Amino acid sequence: KLTFAAAQVVLLLGVIEDSYRLAYHDQLTELPGRRALDEALHTLEGEYTIAMIDVDHFKRFNDRHGHKAGDEALRMVAAELRKVKGGGRAFRYGGEEFTVLFSGATPKDSREHLEAVREAIADRKFAIRAPNRPRKKPNRPKKPSRPVRLISVTVSVGVAGPNARSSTPDSVLRSADRAMYRAKNAGRNRVVTTGDTRAAKR
């Protein structure tokens, strides 16, 4: 009976751990997910910056290259966001949107780090996987019959920090989201800060 009870406890702990991982961790990008972001937002105080990042023309990309290529693009963007400097923490917001939080940093402090990530994403090329490509690499790989097609994506970034009009993390997040749409309306592949009249491409 004791052994059976111990096995049940171990099983229950495993289920709890899996549930926690699924709730707080995005499986596709391996970034913390929306619930982890919601909790992190409510720990922010003092100076901080929130950036909203959206992959440009993502629906068009999926329609042209397929959903598997779309997943590859999201993983690539996540990998670059994970490298952001300045103390930034990246999260998967949902769909093709991501969020980066900078605790203890102003939008002015954070902007150069976001610009660097935006440039890295725009410069990075990745190959479209052929539909008949084997899952495991063969011992003697065949030479491709046609050239490998390299593609890239860009992102639009909106940046905001707390001020008199947006004093809570939730309202700052909404301000960052509006700034991100301004970046898209100004031509995409750029960083726009709330209150910034400069929307020129960097």
Side-chain angles (χ1 to χ4, degrees):
K1 285 184 179 180
L2 196 60
T3 304
F4 179 71
Q8 283 187 313
V9 169
V10 170
L11 181 63
L12 180 61
L13 288 174
V15 169
I16 292 171
E17 186 179 347
D18 287 344
S19 299
Y20 179 89
R21 188 168 58 251
L22 288 171
Y24 287 85
H25 189 81
D26 179 62
Q27 287 183 302
L28 176 65
T29 63
E30 299 183 354
L31 288 178
R34 183 70 174 272
R35 188 172 291 186
L37 170 64
D38 289 341
E39 290 193 2
L41 284 172
H42 292 100
T43 66
L44 295 173
E45 56 186 6
E47 291 284 7
Y48 62 86
T49 297
I50 299 176
M52 287 295 294
I53 298 104
D54 187 82
V55 180
D56 294 328
H57 297 300
F58 190 67
K59 184 180 184 305
R60 185 189 302 175
F61 183 95
N62 269 340
D63 291 343
R64 182 176 298 172
H65 303 293
H67 290 284
K68 285 187 178 180
D71 288 348
E72 286 295 318
L74 293 176
R75 278 192 282 264
M76 181 276 287
V77 170
E80 293 299 333
L81 290 176
R82 199 177 289 114
K83 302 173 191 173
V84 67
K85 306 290 185 185
R89 295 169 58 202
F91 299 81
R92 172 96 182 271
Y93 187 80
E96 67 270 28
E97 289 188 310
F98 299 84
T99 306
V100 177
L101 305 183
F102 296 86
S103 181
T106 66
K108 186 178 179 181
D109 298 330
S110 308
R111 182 166 183 145
E112 64 178 291
H113 304 299
L114 292 164
E115 287 282 11
V117 167
R118 180 196 63 76
E119 288 180 9
I121 291 169
D123 291 343
R124 185 164 165 180
K125 303 288 189 292
F126 61 100
I128 291 285
R129 292 172 178 267
N132 58 351
R133 179 174 173 174
R135 289 187 178 183
K136 292 184 179 179
K137 188 176 180 181
N139 294 329
R140 293 182 180 178
K142 293 180 181 178
K143 199 170 182 179
S145 56
R146 52 186 173 180
V148 175
R149 191 164 39 138
L150 297 177
I151 55 175
S152 61
V153 295
T154 62
V155 295
S156 296
V157 185
V159 188
N163 55 42
R165 296 179 65 182
S166 301
S167 57
T168 66
D170 287 336
S171 62
V172 174
L173 181 72
R174 290 193 293 273
S175 293
D177 195 55
R178 288 193 293 271
M180 183 262 290
Y181 278 103
R182 283 182 57 213
K184 286 191 172 295
N185 291 334
R188 296 177 168 82
N189 188 24
R190 64 198 67 206
V191 178
V192 170
T193 304
T194 298
D196 188 359
T197 56
R198 299 168 302 163
K201 187 175 176 180
R202 295 288 181 254

